[in-house]
Structures are given as structure tokens and as C-alpha cells.
């Protein structure tokens, strides 16, 4: 048995550790008990050789390795669990987990069906998606993201007050999309189509972290969720394209042309439903086998670093200016956002106690290169505004690049400090997650304030 000295404090530590382990959906109750028994045995051995109880606990936990590593080992040993989670077959030692999974499935089906129905409701009022009505360009995110947020809020058991905030945010988005009568060729129209989904995605993030809104770890989980959701949605889209090709070919072979059904029903309803289905898939396999986003970050960080450095060398060699038209500005901003995403995904999978290595230096080169490009773009935008005046596109790009500049500059400073072992790893992680509301606020400003500012005043 464990030494009696400090027994109460030690049991409290075991309780805290047990609760942490039980949050992992891939570990059964029997797995938790097995790990705890192993941990207690290690603590007893360390106490027997003279360590205090609290010291023995910390050393034993460190010896066991990271929980992510343990989870992967259990998942590899019991890989069939992933499929059982997805097909929701019953298991004798996990009835509660099975019931919860079935409820998640029902909630997902209801939310996906709600999204599919929502996208067809405007047709009752004469608004047709196949005619390219601009109404759908402005409101498409409002047909999908509220249902996705509802699914996540249900899974997180969101408090009534938070649900009220979510409803208010989506209502505000509906006002931004429909209160201004903007011409199709208006720059504010295009900016609203781009920035409103971004603003509403942060409302989805609020639903995702509903169980612990102030936790930086939950915010980091949402960033990882975003990357994996996008990957799953792309895979569903690719599979859906193959399915549509087969439907078209097989029915055409018997003299039936399903073009109307595909355009008016399958594509719009299936597309908005896939947004919810992709989120359910991410949640269903969360932390089982491996997270995708950190793996993609490891793969693409060297490639993006090489591309950015090559661009800077070419820019310095040729002396050519940067085109700051709308398409180019969107491209550069997306590139810089991807850089920050790669940094975030890498942070989410990194052991905070591990010393800095080559990959951390590679990330430093990536962030510094992105910072240099952002400075060049800002100089071009400022010069154009000074010479020709401001436009909605340039004003939006100026604000976005200023936000990116601050984030990239401080991130580069923190990464440099971490590489030089002067800055704690947690400082970089907290800075990145703490800066997310700034992006959300600017997206809301562009969607709500720019139309009246540039088209009505």
C-alpha cells in the first residue's frame, strides 16, 4: 500500500488524474482502472525507495508517458473500437457510452435534416437556388452553421444563457445578410459573403467550448476540430462527387436524366447536411488512433516554409511589386492564416515539457517569413490607399493584415524565446488561443459596419 504520509493529498491527485483520463472517449472504464492500478504500483515503489508521496506521483506520471501516447497505444491494440463507435454496436461493458453514442447519432441526423430542410424553405417564397439568386450567397452559412452549433451545444450540454447568446449571434448574422440591399457588383456584397461565415464560425466555436468557455485547452481543441472538420468535409465532397457521377450515369443509361433532381435536391440538401455530418465524424473519432491536424501540420510546415522563403527571395531578386487587387489580397490573407493554423496545430500536439528541436526552428523560420510577407503587403496596401483612396476591399484587407501583423510578430518573438529556452511553452499557446476573439470581432465589423459605411453614407 501507499505510504500513509500525505495520503489524503495523494488520493486527491489520483482522483484528479482519474477524472482527466475518463474524459478520453477511446479509453473504457476497464482501461482507466488498469492504468490507475499501474500508476499506484509505480508510486508505491518510488515511496519505498524514499521519495515523498507527491514527488513519487509526479515521477510515476512522467514515466507513464503522455496520455495521448497511451491513448494511441490502446487504440492500436483495440482498433475495432473506432468502428464500434461509428456503427454504434452495443458493448457489454459500456452501455452508458453506447447510449450516448446513439443519442449523438440521433442528434446529428436531426440537425442534418434541419439544415437540408432550411435550404429549401426559401423556394416557398419564390427564391430559387438554381437561378443563382444572390440571397443564397449571403445566407448560405445561416442555413448550415446554426444547425452545426445546435449539435455541438447539445453535445456539450450548453447552459441556457450561452444558448441565448448563440441565438442572438445568429440573429445578428441574419440581419447583416439581409437588412442591406446591396447590388451584386458591390464590394461590400462580396465582403459580406466572405466575412459573415467567418464571424458565424466563431459562434460555432462558442458552442464547441460551451462546457468550459474560459479554457485555453478547449479553444485549442476547437482549432484542431476546425482543421479535421475541413478534411472530413473535403473527403465527403469527393465521395459525393463520385456518387453523383454514378447516379447520373446509371439513370441516364435507362433513359432518365436526373439533372433536375441533382441540382435542386441532392446537391443543396446533401451539401448543407454534410457540414453537420463531418462534425459528427470528428467528434465520433476524437482522439482515437491519431488526430489529423497535427499530422498535416508536420507534413506541410516544411513545404510552406520553403514556398514562403522562395517567394521572398524571388521578390527581392526581381523587385516586382505586389498586386493588391481583391483576389490577390484574399490569397495572401489565406496564406498567412494557414501559417497561423499550422503553428496552432503543431502546438496542439506538442509535448510542452519536451526541449526545443529542429521542428521548432523550422516553425520560427515559417512565422518570420510570413511576417515579412505581411509587412510587404501592408506597405503596398497603405501606398495604394494613400494614392487612390480607400475602398471596402482595401479597408478590410488593411484591418486583417494589421491583426495578422501583431499576431505574427508576437508569435515570432515567443517562438524565438522558446527556441532559446527563455520563454515557457504555455505562453505561446495561451497567446495564440487568446487572440481568436480579435479575428471574430473584425469579421463581425466587416459584415455589419462596412455595407452602410461604404454603400449608404
Amino acid at each position: 500500500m501507499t505510504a500513509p504520509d500525505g495520503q489524503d493529498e495523494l488520493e486527491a491527485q489520483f482522483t484528479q488524474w482519474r477524472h482527466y483520463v475518463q474524459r478520453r472517449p477511446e479509453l473504457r472504464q476497464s482501461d482507466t482502472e488498469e492504468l490507475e492500478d499501474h500508476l499506484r504500483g509505480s508510486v508505491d515503489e518510488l515511496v519505498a525507495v524514499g521519495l515523498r508521496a507527491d514527488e513519487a506521483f509526479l515521477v510515476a506520471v512522467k514515466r507513464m508517458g503522455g496520455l495521448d501516447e497511451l491513448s494511441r497505444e490502446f487504440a492500436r491494440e483495440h482498433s475495432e473500437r473506432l468502428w464500434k463507435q461509428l456503427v454504434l454496436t452495443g458493448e457489454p461493458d459500456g452501455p452508458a457510452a453506447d447510449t450516448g453514442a446513439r443519442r449523438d447519432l440521433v442528434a446529428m441526423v436531426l440537425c442534418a435534416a434541419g439544415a437540408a430542410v432550411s435550404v429549401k424553405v426559401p423556394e416557398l417564397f419564390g427564391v430559387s437556388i438554381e437561378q443563382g439568386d444572390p440571397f443564397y450567397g449571403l445566407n448560405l452559412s445561416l442555413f448550415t452553421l446554426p444547425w452545426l452549433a445546435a449539435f455541438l451545444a447539445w453535445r456539450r450540454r450548453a447552459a441556457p444563457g450561452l444558448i441565448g447568446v448563440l441565438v442572438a449571434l445568429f440573429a445578428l448574422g441574419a440581419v447583416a445578410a439581409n437588412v442591406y440591399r446591396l447590388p451584386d457588383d458591390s464590394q461590400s456584397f462580396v465582403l459580406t459573403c466572405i466575412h459573415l461565415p467567418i464571424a458565424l464560425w466563431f459562434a460555432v466555436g462558442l458552442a464547441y467550448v460551451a462546457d468550459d468557455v474560459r479554457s485555453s485547452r478547449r479553444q485549442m481543441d476547437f482549432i484542431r476540430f476546425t482543421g479535421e472538420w475541413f478534411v472530413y468535409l473535403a473527403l465527403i465532397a469527393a465521395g459525393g462527387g463520385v456518387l453523383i457521377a454514378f447516379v447520373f450515369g446509371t439513370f441516364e443509361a435507362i433513359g432518365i436524366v436526373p439533372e433536375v433532381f441533382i441540382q435542386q435536391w441532392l446537391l443543396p440538401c446533401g451539401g448543407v447536411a454534410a457540414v453537420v455530418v463531418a462534425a459528427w465524424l470528428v467528434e465520433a473519432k476524437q482522439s482515437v488512433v491519431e488526430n489529423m491536424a497535427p499530422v498535416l501540420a508536420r507534413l506541410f510546415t516544411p513545404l510552406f516554409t520553403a514556398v514562403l522563403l522562395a517567394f521572398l527571395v524571388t521578390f527581392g531578386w526581381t523587385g516586382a511589386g505586389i498586386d493588391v487587387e481583391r483576389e490577390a489580397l484574399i490569397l495572401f490573407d489565406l496564406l498567412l492564416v494557414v501559417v497561423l493554423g499550422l503553428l496552432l496545430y503543431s502546438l496542439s500536439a506538442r509535448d510542452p515539457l519536451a526541449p526545443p528541436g529542429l521542428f521548432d526552428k523550422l516553425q520560427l523560420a515559417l512565422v518570420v517569413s510570413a511576417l515579412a510577407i505581411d509587412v510587404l503587403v501592408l506597405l503596398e496596401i497603405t501606398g495604394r490607399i494613400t494614392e487612390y483612396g480607400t475602398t471596402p476591399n482595401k479597408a478590410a484587407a488593411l484591418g486583417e493584415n494589421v491583426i495578422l501583423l501583431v499576431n505574427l510578430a508576437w508569435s515570432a518573438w515567443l517562438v524565438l524565446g522558446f527556441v532559446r529556452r527563455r520563454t515557457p511553452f504555455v505562453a505561446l499557446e495561451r497567446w495564440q488561443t487568446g487572440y481568436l476573439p480579435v479575428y471574430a470581432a473584425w469579421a463581425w465589423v466587416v459584415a455589419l459596419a462596412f455595407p452602410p459605411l461604404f454603400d449608404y453614407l
Side-chain angles (χ1 to χ4, degrees):
M1 295 295 294
T2 307
D5 295 337
Q7 184 67 34
D8 293 340
E9 292 80 1
L10 184 60
E11 287 301 324
Q13 289 179 308
F14 275 117
T15 301
Q16 184 179 10
W17 180 87
R18 190 186 310 115
H19 289 164
Y20 178 61
V21 174
Q22 288 173 345
R23 292 173 58 186
R24 311 293 290 208
E26 69 275 19
L27 297 179
R28 300 175 181 172
Q29 180 65 28
S30 58
D31 298 333
T32 303
E33 293 173 356
E34 178 183 344
L35 288 172
E36 183 177 355
D37 183 67
H38 177 69
L39 181 61
R40 286 181 179 274
S42 298
V43 171
D44 288 339
E45 293 177 1
L46 292 168
V47 170
V49 297
L51 269 68
R52 296 200 310 269
D54 56 345
E55 294 176 338
F57 180 84
L58 294 175
V59 173
V61 170
K62 181 64 177 177
R63 286 182 177 178
M64 287 185 68
L67 192 56
D68 288 336
E69 181 181 351
L70 290 171
S71 300
R72 288 193 291 271
E73 289 178 1
F74 271 92
R76 282 193 293 266
E77 185 177 352
H78 306 285
S79 59
E80 75 280 359
R81 292 185 191 176
L82 172 60
W83 304 107
K84 289 182 179 180
Q85 285 182 12
L86 294 179
V87 301
L88 306 175
T89 58
E91 296 184 29
D93 60 343
D98 181 59
T99 300
R102 290 183 184 277
R103 289 177 179 174
D104 287 348
L105 176 62
V106 172
M108 180 273 292
V109 171
L110 291 176
C111 291
V117 171
S118 298
V119 80
K120 299 297 292 182
V121 168
E123 293 190 1
L124 299 176
F125 302 93
V127 181
S128 177
I129 191 171
E130 60 269 14
Q131 294 178 359
D133 196 300
F135 172 84
Y136 278 95
L138 287 169
N139 290 273
L140 185 59
S141 58
L142 291 166
F143 296 132
T144 56
L145 298 186
W147 295 100
L148 174 57
F151 171 69
L152 294 173
W154 184 88
R155 288 200 82 239
R156 302 296 188 273
R157 305 294 188 267
L162 184 59
I163 293 175
V165 172
L166 291 173
V167 172
L169 288 175
F170 284 110
L172 188 62
V175 170
N178 298 286
V179 73
Y180 309 117
R181 297 185 179 274
L182 299 171
D184 298 353
D185 57 351
S186 168
Q187 290 188 11
S188 296
F189 175 86
V190 177
L191 288 175
T192 301
C193 291
I194 294 173
H195 285 79
L196 182 58
I198 297 174
L200 294 178
W201 186 252
F202 285 97
V204 172
L206 185 61
Y208 185 90
V209 301
D211 53 345
D212 193 358
V213 176
R214 297 183 179 181
S215 170
S216 60
R217 173 52 57 182
R218 295 297 292 144
Q219 295 172 17
M220 184 68 77
D221 289 341
F222 174 65
I223 296 297
R224 185 166 51 240
F225 167 85
T226 300
E228 297 189 1
W229 170 85
F230 181 80
V231 171
Y232 273 99
L233 191 62
L235 293 175
I236 292 174
V242 174
L243 175 64
I244 290 173
F246 276 113
V247 169
F248 194 90
T250 52
F251 279 84
E252 191 177 35
I254 59 175
I256 299 176
V257 180
E259 184 175 357
V260 175
F261 168 75
I262 291 174
Q263 290 182 351
Q264 297 186 11
W265 292 93
L266 186 58
L267 278 176
C269 295
V272 295
V275 171
V276 181
V277 175
W280 171 74
L281 288 173
V282 176
E283 292 284 279
K285 56 76 51 191
Q286 188 179 31
S287 299
V288 180
V289 182
E290 186 65 80
N291 285 312
M292 283 188 186
V295 175
L296 294 176
R298 284 275 175 175
L299 175 63
F300 284 101
T301 293
L303 300 177
F304 270 86
T305 303
V307 170
L308 296 187
L309 290 175
F311 173 83
L312 291 173
V313 171
T314 304
F315 178 85
W317 181 266
T318 61
I322 297 178
D323 181 12
V324 290
E325 295 302 321
R326 182 175 66 198
E327 291 76 11
L329 289 175
I330 292 174
L331 178 62
F332 276 107
D333 287 343
L334 284 176
L335 178 63
L336 298 176
V337 169
V338 168
V339 169
L340 290 176
L342 290 173
L343 179 61
L344 280 166
Y345 295 154
S346 299
L347 293 178
S348 69
R350 195 187 191 286
D351 181 3
L353 300 179
L358 178 61
F359 189 77
D360 298 294
K361 297 177 181 178
L362 194 63
Q363 283 185 312
L364 177 60
L366 176 66
V367 175
V368 171
S369 301
L371 176 62
I373 292 176
D374 193 21
V375 171
L376 294 175
V377 173
L378 270 174
L379 290 175
E380 290 288 343
I381 294 174
T382 304
R384 291 294 182 92
I385 291 177
T386 302
E387 185 174 358
Y388 301 107
T390 187
T391 64
N393 283 327
K394 293 174 184 175
L398 180 65
E400 288 161 359
N401 281 274
V402 168
I403 294 172
L404 289 169
L405 178 70
V406 175
N407 195 307
L408 288 168
W410 193 246
S411 295
W413 177 257
L414 291 175
V415 174
L416 176 61
F418 176 70
V419 169
R420 300 175 65 182
R421 304 192 181 191
R422 293 182 178 178
T423 303
F425 174 81
V426 68
L428 179 58
E429 187 178 53
R430 287 178 178 174
W431 164 258
Q432 288 294 320
T433 55
Y435 216 71
L436 295 178
V438 179
Y439 295 107
W442 180 248
W444 281 106
V445 167
V446 173
L448 290 171
F450 271 36
L453 184 63
F454 286 96
D455 291 82
Y456 290 91
L457 297 183

